[in-house]
Amino acid sequence: MTSLRHLTFGLLLAGSLSLYAGGFASPTQTSYVDLVNPLIGSQSSFNLSAGNTYPVISRPWGMNSWTPQTGKMGDGWQYSYQANKIRGIKQTHQPSPWINDYGQFSLLPMTGKQPIFDEEKRASWFSHKAELARPYAYEVYLADYDTRVRMAPSERAAVFEVEFSRTARQEERWIVVDAFDANSELEQIDSYTLAGISRKNSGGVPANFANYFIVRFTEPIQRLVRQERKGKGGKHSLLAVNLSAGKQGTPTTFYAASSFISRAQAQHNLREVLDRSFSQVSEEGRSEWENQLRRIAVTDSPERMRTFYSCLYRSLLFPRRFYEIAPSGEAIHYSPYNGEVRSGYLYTDTGYWDTFRALMPLIHLVYPEEGAKMAEGMMNAYRESGFFPEWASPGHRDCMVGNNSASVIADAYLKGLGRINAEELIQALLHGANSEHPTVRSTGRLGYKYYNKLGYIPSDVGINEHAARSLEYAYDDWCILQALKKVGAAPELQSLYAERAMNYRNLYDPSLGWMRGRKQDGSFQSPFSIYKWGDAFTEGNSLHYSWSVFHDIQGLIDLMGGDKAFTQKLDSIFTLPPIFDDSYYGFVIHEIREMQLMNMGNYAHGNQPIQHMIYLYDYAGAPAKAQYWVREVMRRLYTDRPDGYCGDEDNGQTSAWYVFSALGFYPVTPALGQYAIGTPYFREVRLMMPEHKEFVIRASDTTYPYIQSAKLNERPWEKTYLDYETIRNGGILTFQLGAKASTWGTKPNSRPYSFSRHLP
């Protein structure tokens, strides 16, 4: 049996090993999925994040994911690269350790005279040298049991193959099923099958929430041992099964599937893998991942490609599909908003405060068919709860600030994605902008009455992070305005949102030269420090948030005194030492520590508010500085290793920044359909667009970051931006790069869009 395991590992590794021979890999010879490291960012902790990720073994956007579980039940850090024991192979839906999990249970093969249920005692030692994680499959050697486990998921199910120790007799071979606490249930329903219900969750669910799961064995259950205990959240159910002997010398195979709708639907979902081998399901998953990753076909060195495709993999996990396929073939979903089973699509496990910036624009550009279903899912969430989600897992969660669902749904609508009723969309946007959710502070607009009356949320009315909310609301109002324009809304309504889109100006303090909170009487918040994290801002300070005028950079330039003064302020973020004031939190939060450690001054790339800032040099006639700093961040702050990020990866956002930046452009203003140019990272990239069109990006020598000249379809290109339609229609964009900054892109008419330049 050892030889079978080695053969399996060898086949999975073959594609990636061939890339280490040197030279450049071309799209025709490269297996992109074999470049992915699912362990990227998993070397993290509460105090310091290198991604705060875990290996997500899944299909792209899969409803169910799986991961090896090293942390205790209920621990948000469910897998840590530093750990050396595995407690089980866990079904998971966790988007972030801070949000935690739901729809969870675990399985662990073991050997012994009696099964071990206690998770501390049953945990087996393992080594990364005997662990293989791929996006589509996971394998590990459980040293304490001399047992090898392989698992490959489909979208809603998984197949397991287990090679028990040769020295363990048949009656000593066990599979433990742990449904976790919170009033879970487990029972045997026939000679081959277990059925369970996991209710453990971390919030955002109605009273009838449940994850129904099925575990189906290929050999009859010979013996069953049950344990029920009282957990912190209610009954904790566990079962261990011993199976009848199978064919001599063959692995033990079993299947698992789950549903948020019913046991019957879970049994239907099981058909995705039933009677199929690990290698069959694994190969199908490998092919599906390859097809998605191949949408962006890169030609470059394996080292660069590994980081890129590991980031692209992380960009294709969330928001996850939360719908199932009924026996009739119809897409249906359990609604975490009202507890009903409804028709249509639904997606969850994302926070738009993070992902409106780059992840959702990436999906809308490169994966528009998935973006269309996500947009329809957002409309379903509105119908079922009265609000678009801001942070969903699986329903509304009270996390972060802003009304940035407006950016996401407006961007989809403006690009023609999804079957969206325009009248209903405007109704939903206006409701979200002028309402507060009755129980979830992050949904709708907290403080909207103050904002609508004063043009900002005051600092002295008991609403935290007031300046951050005000700045993001102004951008969201601009997004709403774009939708209003498209539907031909009444001029007075358009004028109202055009006016509100300029509210960012109310927070600019000319005496400081930075954004600052204001009181109800119009005076500025005092005392105030531009270095203070939190309080007026969200996980950042004024140095980070003053750039949050995504839709009107020219207006911000004007406030700050023109191009030269604006550029100097951008420079200062990197030249200042990493000074900070943590008094709002009372301790150094991990985001502060990550900024401090990166040796980039006050630039805090490990969190989202400042990630677009580098591209703002384009708007001030200094694109060479954008080219330099984009390349520095990519070179210094990203790798494909377990410590590969400089802070929380956050559901694909920090990865999507890298993906866009490697292509050479970035969506500074989501919902606009325009991308600011940075600098290309690869010698060649082929973007696969709809209707079999390709947009090709080529660079002469990516050793250097500085653009000397550019051509689009053989014509000189001086603009520091690209339009959505230009990319979508296909073409060839070529760059000449050099070692020194040039004058390319410095002409005033080369700059990207700013709202104030288009006002009457």
Side-chain angles (χ1 to χ4, degrees):
M1 301 310 297
T2 302
S3 61
L4 175 63
R5 169 181 174 266
H6 287 166
L7 175 62
T8 305
F9 270 76
L11 288 172
L12 287 169
L13 284 169
S16 58
L17 289 176
S18 66
L19 293 172
Y20 286 82
F24 291 99
S26 71
T28 57
Q29 64 186 193
T30 300
S31 173
Y32 298 112
V33 69
D34 289 329
L35 295 164
V36 173
N37 181 9
L39 301 180
I40 182 175
S42 62
Q43 188 174 314
S44 300
S45 66
F46 177 88
N47 295 315
L48 189 66
S49 173
N52 265 334
T53 65
Y54 60 92
V56 180
I57 315 302
S58 174
R59 296 293 174 89
W61 306 290
M63 187 185 89
N64 294 336
S65 300
W66 294 82
T67 194
Q69 179 192 350
T70 64
K72 296 180 180 179
M73 178 182 64
D75 185 353
W77 284 262
Q78 57 184 350
Y79 178 93
S80 174
Y81 190 80
Q82 304 94 301
N84 46 39
K85 287 189 176 182
I86 286 180
R87 302 163 189 265
I89 310 298
K90 179 187 176 188
Q91 180 186 277
T92 179
H93 299 85
Q94 178 172 297
S96 160
W98 313 106
I99 293 292
N100 217 303
D101 209 352
Y102 66 93
Q104 51 194 303
F105 62 92
S106 74
L107 303 130
L108 184 70
M110 64 174 60
T111 58
K113 294 182 178 180
Q114 293 293 330
I116 304 170
F117 290 110
D118 183 275
E119 67 171 352
E120 295 284 351
K121 295 177 181 178
R122 77 182 185 224
S124 171
W125 281 80
F126 81 107
S127 168
H128 298 301
K129 296 179 178 64
E131 175 191 47
L132 180 62
R134 292 291 188 216
Y136 53 86
Y138 180 77
E139 305 192 28
V140 69
Y141 173 65
L142 302 176
D144 287 342
Y145 305 120
D146 186 30
T147 293
R148 298 165 183 88
V149 184
R150 296 185 284 274
M151 183 278 301
S154 65
E155 193 167 324
R156 301 170 188 88
V159 57
F160 288 76
E161 281 188 0
V162 182
E163 295 178 34
F164 285 105
S165 172
R166 292 181 180 182
T167 62
R169 294 178 295 179
Q170 185 63 35
E171 62 269 22
E172 296 176 330
R173 300 177 177 188
W174 300 93
I175 298 168
V176 172
V177 182
D178 188 343
F180 295 1
D181 60 13
N183 293 318
S184 59
E185 300 177 25
L186 269 173
E187 62 176 325
Q188 181 179 349
I189 58 174
D190 63 39
S191 299
Y192 294 85
T193 312
L194 304 178
I197 300 176
S198 171
R199 295 187 173 92
K200 188 174 183 64
N201 66 83
S202 307
V205 299
N208 68 346
F209 169 80
N211 183 241
Y212 304 89
F213 65 90
I214 299 290
V215 181
R216 173 81 174 179
F217 302 97
T218 55
E219 303 296 336
I221 297 172
Q222 186 75 17
R223 185 181 172 200
L224 185 146
V225 180
R226 178 188 305 273
Q227 184 178 104
E228 290 185 356
R229 60 177 73 160
K230 290 183 178 180
K232 292 181 180 179
K235 185 177 69 173
H236 183 174
S237 298
L238 303 98
L239 285 179
V241 298
N242 173 255
L243 304 176
S244 299
K247 185 178 179 181
Q248 184 73 22
T250 61
T252 297
T253 300
F254 62 93
Y255 308 96
S258 76
S259 167
F260 293 99
I261 294 171
S262 66
R263 177 186 290 184
Q265 183 65 38
Q267 290 175 316
H268 179 70
N269 293 345
L270 189 67
R271 296 172 63 182
E272 294 180 358
V273 297
L274 197 61
D275 298 327
R276 302 175 68 197
S277 68
F278 164 81
S279 60
Q280 288 173 322
V281 177
S282 174
E283 184 55 37
E284 181 185 77
R286 186 178 189 276
S287 177
E288 187 173 340
W289 272 108
E290 185 70 18
N291 288 338
Q292 299 295 354
L293 296 172
R294 191 171 286 276
R295 294 277 189 99
I296 307 179
V298 168
T299 301
D300 213 287
S301 68
E303 181 180 1
R304 285 184 167 193
M305 291 172 67
R306 283 195 295 271
T307 302
F308 178 83
Y309 283 104
S310 295
C311 285
L312 184 55
Y313 146 80
R314 293 290 324 176
S315 302
L316 305 184
L317 299 172
F318 305 103
R320 76 170 73 249
R321 296 165 181 163
F322 201 69
Y323 64 88
E324 306 176 44
I325 306 301
S328 65
E330 178 190 12
I332 58 176
H333 65 270
Y334 166 81
S335 173
Y337 302 105
N338 62 19
E340 300 174 4
V341 176
R342 295 287 190 95
S343 297
Y345 302 117
L346 196 70
Y347 286 72
T348 190
D349 292 333
T350 192
Y352 291 133
W353 181 85
D354 301 290
T355 60
F356 86 87
R357 304 163 195 269
L359 177 70
M360 296 309 299
L362 179 68
I363 291 171
H364 292 168
L365 176 65
V366 185
Y367 305 95
E369 72 287 351
E370 201 71 28
K373 292 190 291 185
M374 291 176 183
E376 292 180 26
M378 289 183 71
M379 295 305 299
N380 282 330
Y382 165 70
R383 294 176 190 123
E384 293 158 22
S385 73
F387 290 86
F388 288 129
E390 300 299 336
W391 230 118
S393 183
H396 293 304
R397 298 295 293 274
D398 192 1
C399 184
M400 310 312 290
V401 304
N403 179 215
N404 298 306
S405 59
S407 174
V408 177
I409 194 68
D411 190 43
Y413 174 62
L414 294 166
K415 289 180 170 61
L417 304 182
R419 295 166 294 182
I420 297 176
N421 178 281
E423 183 178 348
E424 185 183 29
L425 171 65
I426 297 303
Q427 180 186 51
L429 286 169
L430 297 182
H431 175 71
N434 297 280
S435 302
E436 295 178 1
H437 193 282
T439 59
V440 184
R441 287 166 60 92
S442 66
T443 303
R445 285 194 185 183
L446 185 65
Y448 78 93
K449 291 181 180 178
Y450 294 108
Y451 174 83
N452 290 352
K453 179 182 178 181
L454 301 173
Y456 60 91
I457 299 172
S459 61
D460 54 350
V461 294
I463 298 177
N464 63 333
E465 301 164 71
H466 41 87
R469 296 178 195 273
S470 301
L471 290 167
E472 292 184 19
Y473 291 172
Y475 162 68
D476 298 328
D477 284 333
W478 176 88
C479 294
I480 294 171
L481 174 63
Q482 307 316 301
L484 292 172
K485 286 181 176 180
K486 182 169 182 177
V487 303
E492 57 270 22
L493 189 59
Q494 293 190 40
S495 295
L496 174 63
Y497 280 86
E499 180 182 345
R500 289 179 179 175
M502 302 299 284
N503 280 341
Y504 70 89
R505 296 180 299 183
N506 297 327
L507 295 183
Y508 184 76
D509 181 354
S511 68
L512 282 180
W514 301 99
M515 297 293 180
R516 182 176 182 177
R518 285 189 105 129
K519 298 179 182 179
Q520 287 189 79
D521 63 9
S523 62
F524 282 106
Q525 179 184 5
S526 183
F528 181 82
S529 168
I530 60 173
Y531 302 111
K532 186 176 183 179
W533 284 60
D535 190 1
F537 302 103
T538 302
E539 295 180 358
N541 60 30
S542 184
L543 298 177
H544 309 138
Y545 250 96
S546 290
W547 315 107
S548 293
V549 186
F550 308 95
H551 57 297
D552 192 20
I553 305 306
Q554 185 60 54
L556 184 61
I557 290 172
D558 294 341
L559 286 177
M560 290 185 168
D563 291 349
K564 184 177 180 180
F566 183 81
T567 301
Q568 288 173 344
K569 283 185 177 294
L570 289 171
D571 293 343
S572 73
I573 300 301
F574 297 106
T575 57
L576 278 169
I579 303 167
F580 62 85
D581 175 352
D582 65 354
S583 59
Y584 176 74
Y585 302 104
F587 65 100
V588 179
I589 62 173
H590 75 90
E591 290 90 349
I592 295 176
R593 187 68 72 204
E594 287 139 19
M595 176 196 76
Q596 183 188 38
L597 293 174
M598 296 305 146
N599 192 26
M600 281 195 171
N602 240 274
Y603 181 70
H605 191 80
N607 209 16
Q608 282 65 44
I610 204 169
Q611 286 181 350
H612 68 294
M613 186 205 82
I614 291 173
Y615 287 90
L616 303 192
Y617 282 112
D618 282 1
Y619 297 73
K625 292 194 174 188
Q627 295 153 25
Y628 172 81
W629 283 113
V630 165
R631 184 64 62 84
E632 284 299 288
V633 170
M634 295 180 70
R635 181 178 66 85
R636 292 162 56 180
L637 303 187
Y638 287 84
T639 74
D640 69 326
R641 296 189 297 267
D643 64 346
Y645 297 105
C646 58
D648 283 358
E649 194 273 342
D650 280 326
N651 309 110
Q653 166 56 31
T654 300
S655 292
W657 184 95
Y658 186 93
V659 171
F660 264 125
S661 295
L663 299 180
F665 52 86
Y666 186 83
V668 170
T669 312
L672 175 62
Q674 193 180 90
Y675 310 87
I677 291 177
T679 184
Y681 191 55
F682 297 122
R683 304 190 80 163
E684 181 177 280
V685 179
R686 293 180 177 269
L687 283 175
M688 311 305 173
M689 294 288 102
E691 302 172 2
H692 306 289
K693 296 178 181 178
E694 279 189 351
F695 189 75
V696 182
I697 304 156
R698 293 177 179 145
S700 60
D701 185 355
T702 55
T703 304
Y704 307 111
Y706 296 114
I707 298 173
Q708 308 298 303
S709 64
K711 288 184 178 181
L712 178 63
N713 298 327
E714 296 301 322
R715 294 185 176 183
W717 188 260
E718 288 290 331
K719 298 175 182 177
T720 56
Y721 63 89
L722 294 168
D723 290 320
Y724 169 73
E725 291 299 334
T726 299
I727 298 171
R728 194 180 185 282
N729 289 334
I732 301 176
L733 179 64
T734 58
F735 291 96
Q736 292 292 321
L737 302 182
K740 295 182 179 181
S742 75
T743 59
W744 178 88
T746 58
K747 296 177 181 178
N749 62 358
S750 67
R751 301 181 185 188
Y753 168 95
S754 285
F755 180 48
S756 60
R757 292 166 59 187
H758 295 267
L759 290 173

